[in-house]
Amino acid sequence: MANVEPLGIKRIEALHYYVHDLERSRRFYTELMDFAETGRSGEALEREGKQKSALFEAGSCRVLCSQPTGEGGRAWRFLQKHPDGIGAVVFEVEDIDRAFSLLDGRGGTPIDDIQRYEDDGGSLAMFSITTPFGDTTLRFVERNGYRSLLPGFEHFDAPAGGENRFGFGEIDHITSNFQTMSPALLWMEHVLGFERYWDVEFHTNDVAGERDSGSGLRSVVMWDPRSGVKFANNEPLRPFFKASQINIFNEDHRGDGIQHAALTTEDIVKAVRGLRERDVQFMPAPGTYYDMLPGRLEELEIGEIDEPIDVLRELGILVDGKGEKSYLLQIFLKESAGLYGDPDAGWFFFEIIQRKGDQGFGAGNFRALFESIERQQKAEGRI
């Protein structure tokens, strides 16, 4: 779409994660990921929403986790249909009235009218819309000095838990899985006003040759050029559609939804080393990946990189990019269900990424990631 008026998105303010076990989430964020717990829902908010919540922050990365306390609340309704998962993505916008008018006029589906609140610091206005991302909604928020995250939310004078020693900065992108993604791409283009940024198509047959099983995807990244907010979107690729990791996610999650979010860091080697010392689990990369890496770096015309390959091999960090000294480093945590041995914990996971000039999405690393996930799914008997 050309000449589309932007929504005025400033940033991804938060992910709202609906969980069965808030204490388990608290341990994960504060003890493993070194996020600080900065606030919690007050008693009145818990009574009204029938859920209790805690906010975890590291840099500009915010994750709000909510556990049902009774029937009927938003978290309870989500978890009646799905395992733990991202129930809402929160955007901060410049002008709430303009964003609402644009979305409503383009065929968006607001869940409510604009809600307005005031406290001693200023004002807050917000509304939510439905999306093609399964039961995940988008929430738009305009803040003008409002002190609290939400009405009835209590912020701690002294945050508890972690200190962000791993240097997390912001949410780089969000990735969603669909059984068919074209409706979502069209919706992001025509309703949100996003543009196509990047795409890739990959199947394990590409490297393994003819075989009786495999996994593949098509992936398209959509973005808001003004804010830089990016959404990666995946669908299964034939053959073996049913065995595709994207379809397996859809079956396990019981619908389309958000698969992972990427967190930036300025020193991924330091971050991953520290996380591994805390027993954070990552998806393994095959040893052959690092055997072939020097040749791949030559093919990609990246040349020498700052990090020793033996260190990347030790830590399981992946490399990709295009052009001299322009590359990225990334690694993927194990999904929550595998981490806890509990399907109700859901299939969401985090990616950690350090960009060193490259703004792509690691197309060459899809192979290593896919092979790793495929091995794990086979070991678990899911394919």
Side-chain angles (χ1 to χ4, degrees):
M1 284 174 64
N3 301 317
V4 174
E5 185 176 352
L7 294 177
I9 294 171
K10 297 171 69 174
R11 65 183 180 120
I12 297 173
E13 181 180 84
L15 302 177
H16 198 163
Y17 199 172
Y18 298 133
V19 300
H20 287 89
D21 188 339
L22 186 57
E23 283 302 317
R24 183 166 64 186
S25 296
R26 177 173 285 113
R27 291 191 297 271
F28 174 80
Y29 287 102
T30 62
E31 298 178 14
L32 297 184
M33 298 293 284
D34 207 41
F35 277 52
E37 184 177 353
T38 59
R40 65 183 179 190
S41 50
E43 291 182 5
L45 182 59
E46 290 179 5
R47 284 196 305 271
E48 181 181 347
K50 299 179 181 178
Q51 58 196 44
K52 57 182 179 180
S53 306
L55 179 64
F56 305 100
E57 298 188 54
S60 296
C61 308
R62 280 179 160 182
V63 182
L64 177 64
C65 294
S66 295
Q67 174 188 329
T69 57
E71 297 184 0
R74 168 69 173 135
W76 180 84
R77 295 195 304 273
F78 182 93
L79 294 173
Q80 289 297 294
K81 299 174 66 176
H82 308 283
D84 292 3
I86 303 298
V89 178
V90 186
F91 294 117
E92 185 179 0
V93 296
E94 299 167 352
D95 185 328
I96 199 76
D97 294 290
R98 188 182 77 204
F100 186 93
S101 176
L102 289 171
L103 288 165
D104 195 33
R106 294 174 186 168
T109 309
I111 296 171
D112 46 24
D113 291 321
I114 299 172
Q115 309 294 309
R116 302 180 190 274
Y117 307 91
E118 293 184 356
D119 66 7
D120 58 358
S123 62
L124 169 73
M126 62 183 181
F127 69 92
S128 297
I129 65 172
T130 60
T131 74
F133 305 103
D135 289 301
T136 299
T137 61
L138 298 184
R139 187 182 310 147
F140 298 86
V141 176
E142 180 188 349
R143 298 184 179 277
N144 291 293
Y146 195 83
R147 298 183 187 279
S148 181
L149 178 73
L150 295 167
F153 201 85
E154 300 173 354
H155 281 269
F156 300 153
D157 292 333
E163 302 174 5
N164 195 21
R165 280 164 283 204
F166 306 130
F168 296 126
E170 62 184 4
I171 297 173
D172 182 87
H173 63 272
I174 292 172
T175 298
S176 299
N177 287 348
F178 304 89
Q179 282 201 319
T180 176
M181 69 180 171
S182 288
L185 300 181
L186 291 168
W187 184 86
M188 279 184 273
E189 178 184 0
H190 292 277
V191 176
L192 297 184
F194 282 20
E195 299 176 6
R196 188 172 291 225
Y197 181 81
W198 182 93
D199 63 85
V200 70
E201 183 174 302
F202 169 72
H203 202 286
T204 48
N205 278 15
D206 296 345
V207 291
E210 292 298 324
R211 51 193 287 185
D212 58 4
S213 65
S215 186
L217 63 66
R218 291 189 180 95
S219 185
V220 175
V221 177
M222 302 292 289
W223 80 317
D224 174 49
R226 188 169 177 179
S227 66
V229 166
K230 298 181 181 70
F231 274 64
N233 309 277
N234 302 325
E235 69 177 8
L237 178 65
R238 71 179 189 279
F240 316 119
F241 180 101
K242 292 294 185 182
S244 167
Q245 294 160 31
I246 310 307
N247 183 65
I248 297 295
F249 171 91
N250 187 281
E251 292 178 348
D252 290 338
H253 184 69
R254 298 190 286 278
D256 298 337
I258 292 176
Q259 179 205 44
H260 76 266
L263 309 179
T264 64
T265 182
E266 293 184 354
D267 188 341
I268 195 170
V269 170
K270 177 183 177 181
V272 173
R273 194 180 298 282
L275 289 164
R276 287 192 179 278
E277 289 174 356
R278 294 189 177 199
D279 294 325
V280 173
Q281 298 182 44
F282 296 88
M283 296 181 189
T288 52
Y289 175 89
Y290 299 97
D291 296 338
M292 299 170 62
L293 187 54
R296 283 192 59 239
L297 294 176
E298 285 190 18
E299 290 177 9
L300 296 169
E301 300 179 345
I302 293 174
E304 293 292 325
I305 61 175
D306 298 329
E307 299 76 15
I309 290 179
D310 60 340
V311 172
L312 300 181
R313 182 195 294 266
E314 172 197 353
L315 297 175
I317 297 170
L318 309 176
V319 189
D320 212 324
K322 189 70 175 177
E324 185 176 357
K325 299 295 285 186
S326 179
Y327 62 100
L328 62 84
L329 301 147
Q330 61 188 158
I331 192 169
F332 301 86
L333 273 68
K334 197 170 186 179
E335 79 285 343
S336 296
L339 178 65
Y340 298 116
D342 177 9
D344 282 342
W347 308 95
F348 177 80
F349 59 87
F350 283 107
E351 170 187 348
I352 300 173
I353 188 168
Q354 180 182 358
R355 294 191 180 277
K356 306 188 78 168
D358 186 84
Q359 297 303 311
F361 284 79
N365 290 339
F366 270 108
R367 289 167 171 80
L369 175 63
F370 257 57
E371 290 171 354
S372 176
I373 295 176
E374 186 177 289
R375 284 196 303 271
Q376 181 176 325
Q377 289 176 342
K378 283 183 176 179
E380 295 171 350
R382 293 163 61 208
I383 57 174

